[in-house]
Amino acid sequence: MHGALLFPRFALLVWIGLMGVLLAAYGTYTFESNIVVRPESIWDMASLTKVMVTIPSIMLLYDRRMIDLESVACKYVPEFGSNGKNIVTVCQLLTHTAGLREFYPFFDMGLLGQKEVLEYIMNDKLWYTVGGQACYSDLSMIVLGVIIERVTGVPLDKFVLKEFFEPLCLQHTGFRPFETSEFDPLVVPTEVDRLHRNRLLWGEVHDPTAFLLGGVAGHAGLFSTIVDVCRFAQMILAGGIDLATNRRFLKESTVRLFTTPGLKTLTNPRPFALGWDVAARKSIDGYTSAGKLMGSRTFGHTGFTGTSLWIDPDRNFFVALLTNAVHPTEVGGFGSKIREVRPMIADAAVLAIGEQAIPRETLTWHLASLRYESLPLDQAEMPIHSGSDELLYWHQDYSSSLHSDHCSILLCSSRNNTSGLSCGSVSYNELTTSLHQQVPITSVATPVVIRSEQKDVISSRGTPSLILRLVPVVFIAIFVHFIF
């Protein structure tokens, strides 16, 4: 019917540091449509809702000491404590080790609305060992969404709008409750649903459970644009601060805590971070949608409709890909081909920016309010407290991919990514052979980055060649439309 096309459209963004190096929108809204996708097009985020709504909201409440991660979830939602779930903690909900079932086909079970669905989840039994092997569960995220509402006394969509979306100027990001949302021509249609709703899903959430919950849920329901996803990802990549306004949304230590994978155990060999997925969490076949080339600390998430966001803090880099792999239908595995596309795009992006990206295991996520006059490099591998809850992380392995025999440590202004305050200049050999070299640190209130003296990690003179090298990324994204 549609030849070998994989999906009719996509939006792709590759971003390094403070600079977007590739923004591409390709295709039309549907195979039959002549409406062209634009950067302003609005996509169903599916499970990216978890990391753009639920997880940052929990992070914020954790910062405000309104939620204790080790407390049982029924402390905040008493009715959740039935049928043995009284031992489940907030942390276990975040790490998908709460023992809850993955999901339920509530439509097929005859449940008709939010009240019935939530009652069923709250009264459900444990299906797996609590604290055992991670079992990815939409139900855990739904419960976390309810916890946010109970703790704040504010509906989930209103809370995240006030605390994140409005101050970040995410003008096209939000939930679309089906009873109150008007038609928006910028919204990209999703599946032709012939199982339950018997119509093209255009402007209403694709996830059937989120639909039954009214369009607002902790696991799905968010709509956004590639530009808004970028602004959100920038804030997370910068350790919880919006570099455009210098407004801090989350503590640096909290971002690091929530995005660090749990310890591998015999009973849980592939742990999640706190709500975030991580590239290091390989499946049995070794597959990861972040590809094979991103750093070991890469974190992000994917969405069933074909969305994905992967953030590599060691490269100061992220890739966001929004598609609609479920169009015209996800029945028969049509949408499963996105599994092959995501790592191809991620690997192509990393290869394209390889020389320009901040090397792995180098200076990343550096914090404001440094109170040290000097920093011995022999302390580099340990987190260093800055006098607040924030941390400075500095790894001593300076890679030769800095492409320079002489490098400088800079404290950089977030308003100008090509200038900064030099905090010492030492040769590459000195850095690698003398770990006790003292590097002066000047107190600043902005993040810090590392740059080569001869060649900035991100420089204006390097941009044209970088963009040319990213052409293969777009080529791959277009090409995969025709190879399956």
Side-chain angles (χ1 to χ4, degrees):
M1 177 174 60
H2 301 294
L5 293 178
L6 178 56
F7 42 80
R9 61 271 186 198
F10 72 83
L12 171 67
L13 180 72
V14 178
W15 193 277
I16 310 175
L18 303 177
M19 180 179 67
V21 295
L22 176 64
L23 172 61
Y26 175 83
T28 57
Y29 273 24
T30 66
F31 291 111
E32 299 83 7
S33 172
N34 60 0
I35 305 176
V36 178
V37 171
R38 298 181 293 166
E40 298 80 20
S41 296
I42 300 171
W43 305 77
D44 185 331
M45 294 289 101
S47 283
L48 285 194
T49 303
K50 297 176 174 71
V51 296
M52 289 186 67
V53 174
T54 308
I55 304 309
S57 296
I58 294 290
M59 294 165 76
L60 183 60
L61 296 178
Y62 173 77
D63 278 348
R64 294 176 179 176
R65 299 186 177 182
M66 298 173 69
I67 282 183
D68 178 3
L69 301 185
E70 298 304 325
S71 289
V72 291
C74 61
K75 171 183 176 180
Y76 308 104
V77 184
E79 61 269 33
F80 178 71
S82 62
N83 286 326
K85 299 193 301 300
N86 58 304
I87 63 173
V88 173
T89 66
V90 174
C91 182
Q92 289 164 344
L93 290 172
L94 288 165
T95 57
H96 298 282
T97 59
L100 303 186
R101 185 164 168 163
E102 297 89 333
F103 71 96
Y104 278 101
F106 291 117
F107 253 117
D108 297 332
M109 294 163 59
L111 302 188
L112 300 177
Q114 181 187 61
K115 184 175 182 295
E116 293 184 20
V117 171
L118 289 180
E119 284 182 352
Y120 195 98
I121 294 172
M122 298 303 166
N123 293 322
D124 197 21
K125 66 178 183 179
L126 292 171
W127 286 81
Y128 308 103
T129 302
V130 176
Q133 183 170 336
C135 182
Y136 181 76
S137 172
D138 281 349
L139 303 189
S140 288
M141 294 296 149
I142 293 172
V143 174
L144 286 169
V146 176
I147 289 175
I148 294 166
E149 294 185 335
R150 295 290 179 87
V151 170
T152 64
V154 180
L156 181 63
D157 55 339
K158 301 294 192 299
F159 179 77
V160 73
L161 179 67
K162 176 185 176 183
E163 299 292 346
F164 289 99
F165 298 160
E166 286 185 343
L168 278 171
C169 298
L170 308 189
Q171 299 180 0
H172 299 291
T173 300
F175 291 91
R176 294 183 57 82
F178 61 87
E179 292 183 348
T180 59
S181 298
E182 298 179 355
F183 176 76
D184 187 340
L186 288 175
V187 177
V188 178
T190 54
E191 185 180 12
V192 180
D193 182 1
R194 302 193 184 282
L195 294 178
H196 303 114
R197 285 171 268 182
N198 296 310
R199 58 180 177 268
L200 172 65
L201 305 183
W202 193 346
E204 59 184 285
V205 62
H206 175 266
D207 184 89
T209 299
F211 176 79
L212 287 175
L213 289 170
V216 179
H219 73 297
L222 186 69
F223 287 76
S224 188
T225 68
I226 192 69
V227 175
D228 283 1
V229 171
C230 168
R231 185 70 180 272
F232 171 82
Q234 279 183 284
M235 181 270 290
I236 296 294
L237 180 60
I241 189 171
D242 177 24
L243 298 181
T245 62
N246 280 334
R247 172 170 175 168
R248 178 162 290 284
F249 287 82
L250 301 165
K251 293 179 181 179
E252 177 87 13
S253 55
T254 298
V255 176
R256 181 173 294 280
L257 172 67
F258 274 71
T259 58
T260 299
L263 295 176
K264 293 183 179 180
T265 65
L266 291 177
T267 57
N268 190 20
R270 293 184 290 117
F272 285 84
L274 292 176
W276 292 86
D277 201 354
V278 287
R281 196 185 67 85
K282 305 286 188 181
S283 61
I284 294 175
D285 59 1
Y287 170 87
T288 172
S289 64
K292 299 178 180 179
L293 303 179
M294 286 193 177
S296 60
R297 293 199 297 138
T298 296
F299 59 92
H301 217 282
T302 61
F304 187 79
T305 53
T307 58
S308 62
L309 170 65
W310 288 105
I311 301 172
D312 184 345
D314 292 327
R315 291 178 182 270
N316 204 15
F317 161 82
F318 67 82
V319 178
L321 176 65
L322 307 183
T323 75
N324 185 15
V326 297
H327 186 85
T329 177
E330 55 96 3
V331 175
F334 191 91
S336 64
K337 294 298 182 181
I338 192 65
R339 283 176 49 87
E340 301 176 48
V341 175
R342 286 172 175 144
M344 291 171 63
I345 295 293
D347 285 345
V350 172
L351 289 172
I353 55 89
E355 290 185 3
Q356 301 284 339
I358 294 177
R360 297 181 188 183
E361 314 302 340
T362 56
L363 194 62
T364 57
W365 280 5
H366 311 285
L367 302 179
S369 306
L370 300 180
R371 299 177 182 177
Y372 299 95
E373 294 181 358
S374 63
L375 175 67
L377 291 183
D378 61 352
Q379 297 179 12
E381 287 188 314
M382 63 186 71
I384 300 170
H385 287 273
S386 64
S388 66
D389 288 336
E390 298 175 336
L391 301 175
L392 171 67
Y393 183 89
W394 193 350
H395 198 288
Q396 66 190 33
D397 180 14
Y398 288 86
S399 170
S400 60
S401 58
L402 285 171
H403 302 289
S404 174
D405 291 332
H406 201 265
C407 63
S408 297
I409 307 300
L410 302 182
L411 295 181
C412 251
S413 167
S414 62
R415 297 184 181 87
N416 187 342
N417 68 319
T418 59
S419 66
L421 302 173
S422 178
C423 294
S425 180
V426 294
S427 71
Y428 177 76
N429 286 336
E430 287 175 320
L431 280 172
T432 55
T433 60
S434 178
L435 297 180
H436 294 274
Q437 171 70 40
Q438 295 288 317
V439 180
I441 298 292
T442 303
S443 294
V444 292
T446 53
V448 297
V449 298
I450 187 170
R451 298 188 186 285
S452 162
E453 188 173 76
Q454 296 181 6
K455 183 177 184 181
D456 286 338
V457 176
I458 302 170
S459 65
S460 58
R461 61 180 179 274
T463 301
S465 62
L466 177 57
I467 294 175
L468 288 176
R469 296 184 67 187
L470 279 163
V471 170
V473 184
V474 180
F475 175 77
I476 288 176
I478 297 174
F479 181 68
V480 294
H481 281 62
F482 302 96
I483 63 176
F484 298 108

